[in-house]
Amino acid sequence: MTVNTTVTVRVPAKVNLQLAVGPGREDGFHDLVNVFHAVSLFDEVTVTEASARRQSPFVSLTARGEMGSHLARVPLDESNLAARAALAVAEETGRGAPVDLHLDKQIPVAGGMAGGSADAAAALVACDRLWGTGLSRERLVELAARLGSDVAFGLVGATAVGTGRGEILEPMPSPGRYRWVFALSKRGLSTADVFREYDRLRPDAPEPRPDRELEKALATGDAVALGRALSNDLQPAALSLLPELERTLEAGRAAGALGALVSGSGPTCAFLVGGGEGSTVVAEREAEVVAALTRTGLCEQVVAADGDVPGATVL
Ligand code: C5P
């Protein structure tokens, strides 16, 4: 058997196509109907055996990326969810040894695109491979769900609906490909703060329900219908905490986006610009949306990506 001394796993960002949020639960979480869609903004997570002499820290973290101020928001200690994922594999299996964990980041940080969760999903897969612990997909998904509500989706990718607090996943039929533009904010938003603001704004939130129009749009690959069906119950809370996001959304809509919404708890804004079949019309619309967003001066960066794409993959 080959012994790996280093393993790299590539993992995608997500955008939410529907995020329906119920009332607060007793455990502090909210029941969701959360339609995740994986897009081609990737982080690469590399784990390498640490020198045999090192006993601590168990995980030593470094991060790199070209995303302006975003990188400074990545915690480089054992509070990072990816470091906690490595520890979780070691605890679960009683095996493993100290590692260096390197994050090569493209996914916005604290941006509502599950970057931290994606890194944790990748770290689970990478450590399992590095240590030869052979965890089944089911056990990886269980560990992921314990780490955070969005981590399991990083393992499966594609398009899936999450219920419970978002961690109970069912694949969702979605044969189409879509082209997206993302406006990264200069600021970050804390997921917990956005949910708290949601509770303040919606003390009477109803139980979350699936959206049949969205399901139909995805099943038929209809980009125009998908653009119309996009919805996010957390959007008013994100806009309340960061009102300038309304101007970002409006700029993309006015430039012809088929749909515009805050991704997850924000503040990244997502714009659907067409089906992913690469037509000139889609390319022109994308260029107009990118130019309009750039002109606002509100965005740290504007990037385009395709969806959906697979989940965590060993390179
Ligand atoms: O699960 P995760 O660690 O990503 O959640 C971060 C925070 O977001 C939680 O502490 C909670 O405040 C909020 N949250 C929630 N309901 C969910 C998911 C997250 O209230 N379903």
Side-chain angles (χ1 to χ4, degrees):
M1 198 181 87
T2 349
V3 178
N4 296 305
T5 55
T6 187
V7 176
T8 298
V9 173
R10 191 172 86 151
V11 66
K14 62 85 179 160
V15 58
N16 305 89
L17 307 180
Q18 181 196 5
L19 182 45
V21 181
R25 312 193 307 202
E26 282 192 355
D27 65 1
F29 286 90
H30 296 71
D31 280 324
L32 308 176
V33 171
N34 191 351
V35 178
F36 295 101
H37 181 75
V39 294
S40 62
L41 289 180
F42 296 105
D43 280 2
E44 286 184 11
V45 176
T46 299
V47 290
T48 306
E49 282 176 7
S51 112
R53 289 187 304 277
R54 192 177 92 205
Q55 292 303 308
S56 83
F58 190 76
V59 182
S60 164
L61 264 170
T62 49
R64 208 185 66 131
E66 292 178 9
M67 16 168 29
S69 62
H70 277 237
L71 204 60
R73 292 201 285 266
V74 179
L76 291 178
D77 57 21
E78 291 188 358
S79 69
N80 189 299
L81 206 53
R84 283 166 44 204
L87 283 166
V89 175
E91 276 164 17
E92 176 78 5
T93 60
R95 309 219 331 245
V99 286
D100 295 325
L101 199 158
H102 179 70
L103 309 174
D104 204 337
K105 293 201 61 73
Q106 244 191 354
I107 308 177
V109 181
M113 296 192 77
S117 300
D119 295 349
L124 288 176
V125 172
C127 289
D128 179 50
R129 178 65 71 97
L130 181 75
W131 297 331
T133 38
L135 290 173
S136 65
R137 171 128 295 227
E138 289 69 31
R139 278 177 83 196
L140 286 172
V141 168
E142 262 172 48
L143 281 182
R146 264 189 258 153
L147 287 165
S149 311
D150 292 349
V151 182
F153 179 71
L155 296 174
V156 304
T159 300
V161 58
T163 52
R165 56 182 235 277
E167 86 287 16
I168 306 166
L169 290 174
E170 284 284 332
M172 197 149 164
S174 175
R177 293 272 288 175
Y178 302 97
R179 188 75 178 156
W180 296 89
V181 171
F182 297 99
L184 279 59
S185 166
K186 293 181 178 165
R187 306 253 312 264
L189 276 178
S190 134
T191 306
D193 289 351
V194 176
F195 273 101
R196 243 190 314 276
E197 182 66 1
Y198 176 80
D199 288 336
R200 195 182 69 80
L201 296 174
R202 292 289 303 274
D204 53 347
E207 290 304 320
R209 300 246 171 274
D211 178 348
R212 303 296 169 213
E213 291 302 314
L214 176 74
E215 287 170 10
K216 208 157 69 184
L218 286 173
T220 55
D222 181 339
V224 172
L226 176 60
R228 261 191 243 119
L230 296 172
S231 70
N232 179 0
D233 283 354
L234 290 182
Q235 184 162 306
L239 292 180
S240 162
L241 296 177
L242 215 50
E244 68 188 36
L245 295 178
E246 185 61 62
R247 276 201 287 149
T248 305
L249 290 171
E250 192 41 49
R253 282 189 205 110
L258 303 179
L261 85 175
V262 169
S263 177
S265 55
T268 305
C269 293
F271 303 87
L272 179 64
V273 291
E277 71 287 350
S279 75
T280 321
V281 179
V282 175
E284 283 173 4
R285 195 181 294 129
E286 173 181 325
E288 291 200 7
V289 170
V290 169
L293 291 170
T294 307
R295 274 197 305 272
T296 63
L298 296 171
C299 310
E300 174 83 50
Q301 226 181 328
V302 180
V303 293
D306 296 298
D308 56 20
V309 295
T313 308
V314 178
L315 295 183

